[in-house]
Amino acid sequence: MPTESLLPRVGKAVTALAAAVGLLLASALQAAPLPDWPVPGGVARVDLETDRRPGEVRYDDEPVMVRSTPEGWQAVVGIGLDADPGTHTLKVDGTPHTFEVEPIDYEEQHLTIDDEDMVTPPEETLERIWAEQREIRAAFRSREVDTQPRLHLHTPVAEHRVSATFGLQRFLNGQPRNPHNGLDMAAPTGTPIEAAEAGRVVQTGDYYFNGKTVFIDHGAGLVTMYCHLDEMDVEKGQWVERGEAIGTVGETGRVTGPHLHLSVILNGNTVDPNLFL
């Protein structure tokens, strides 16, 4: 057989092999365990030492995600950035179950904001900000979706530069502010933003600090928040699939340039998105 006639077959075989390897890598990624990082802003995987699914697991009076493992049932607990190191307690069907939270030192970040009203809001904006914070906290605790989501999330902005990591102790124009509760992905205005996982859009809004924002409930207490959008392409109540376009990168709200601020919320607490990406 002439050598030229073998080339199409070889090409098809290589393509098929590459596709198979890609599927295996994707499967391995989905099967890989979520890191156990029990620090403020981290996630604790707590073995519940039972083969029977618990009826209710709570942490700080919030329902906690539970999942089955080969060793038995396990709680996946989001730990707040303001949590104190030391012994913490889950209530497993009302019975205390303890785990340890380790200390961590996050780095500082000093930013200059040209609009001083975005550093120290004027008195007339405070009522709006407080109302928005109540709405945001309610979205963080959404329980509209009754599914068990994948814990390895899709990266919402394909091409980006990390401009701020999670947990940074922030100083704005020299003044201390709350720690950074997300991951900033810098990209040009108009860059597409995709859903990190399938779920329901439970809230959208144009907020004083966060700008145009989308919240997606993925189930079992896992929520993602996308801030500073230029355009929002979804509506409250809409179901979106993993990787579906939900808007574009912008610089609305309190920003120093165009980027996506991604927050991952677990049982009401913002946790490090890098644990999930």
Side-chain angles (χ1 to χ4, degrees):
M1 178 181 296
T3 302
E4 291 79 0
S5 65
L6 290 174
L7 293 179
R9 296 186 183 184
V10 172
K12 290 180 180 178
V14 170
T15 300
L17 178 61
V21 170
L23 286 172
L24 286 172
L25 288 174
S27 297
L29 179 62
Q30 291 301 328
L34 184 74
D36 183 34
W37 201 50
V39 301
V43 174
R45 294 189 288 114
V46 183
D47 292 326
L48 300 179
E49 301 171 355
T50 177
D51 295 329
R52 180 183 62 84
R53 181 186 178 94
E56 183 179 66
V57 180
R58 286 183 171 268
Y59 172 63
D60 285 345
D61 207 31
E62 288 289 331
V64 167
M65 178 187 293
V66 294
R67 62 179 183 174
S68 179
T69 73
E71 291 75 33
W73 287 92
Q74 182 182 80
V76 182
V77 187
I79 305 167
L81 264 170
D82 59 352
D84 293 323
T87 301
H88 287 235
T89 302
L90 295 176
K91 288 294 184 69
V92 183
D93 292 331
T95 301
H97 191 109
T98 62
F99 67 98
E100 295 299 315
V101 173
E102 305 296 333
I104 186 173
D105 289 322
Y106 289 108
E107 295 180 356
E108 293 183 0
Q109 184 185 45
H110 294 258
L111 296 173
T112 299
I113 305 294
D114 292 333
D115 186 353
E116 187 62 35
D117 285 352
M118 284 293 178
V119 178
T120 305
E123 188 75 24
E124 61 268 21
T125 66
L126 295 181
E127 186 174 343
R128 170 192 170 183
I129 291 170
W130 292 332
E132 290 176 351
Q133 289 303 309
R134 289 192 294 270
E135 188 171 286
I136 290 168
R137 286 195 294 270
F140 279 10
R141 289 167 171 78
S142 173
R143 292 279 172 171
E144 290 190 16
V145 176
D146 186 20
T147 61
Q148 189 76 15
R150 286 174 287 189
L151 296 182
H152 289 87
L153 301 178
H154 172 72
T155 301
V157 180
E159 299 290 336
H160 69 272
R161 173 181 60 85
V162 173
S163 54
T165 55
F166 177 86
L168 293 171
Q169 300 294 321
R170 281 194 151 171
F171 294 81
L172 306 182
N173 297 357
Q175 301 179 43
R177 290 295 184 265
N178 290 332
H180 189 228
N181 69 356
L183 179 68
D184 285 355
M185 301 179 179
T189 296
T191 301
I193 298 170
E194 299 170 345
E197 179 58 286
R200 188 172 307 285
V201 177
V202 291
Q203 190 59 264
T204 64
D206 190 352
Y207 302 112
Y208 188 84
F209 290 124
N210 292 359
K212 294 180 181 178
T213 302
V214 173
F215 301 84
I216 302 177
D217 181 348
H218 307 288
L222 181 66
V223 175
T224 50
M225 177 177 73
Y226 312 77
C227 302
H228 310 307
L229 277 61
D230 184 58
E231 297 290 342
M232 297 185 290
D233 297 332
V234 291
E235 298 178 350
K236 183 177 179 180
Q238 180 178 338
W239 181 267
V240 295
E241 297 296 337
R242 180 187 180 96
E244 182 176 340
I246 61 171
T248 58
V249 171
E251 47 184 327
T252 56
R254 185 169 67 188
V255 297
T256 57
H259 70 280
L260 168 67
H261 170 106
L262 171 70
S263 283
V264 174
I265 301 96
L266 191 60
N267 51 268
N269 291 322
T270 54
V271 294
D272 191 344
N274 275 321
L275 298 173
F276 298 79
L277 295 175

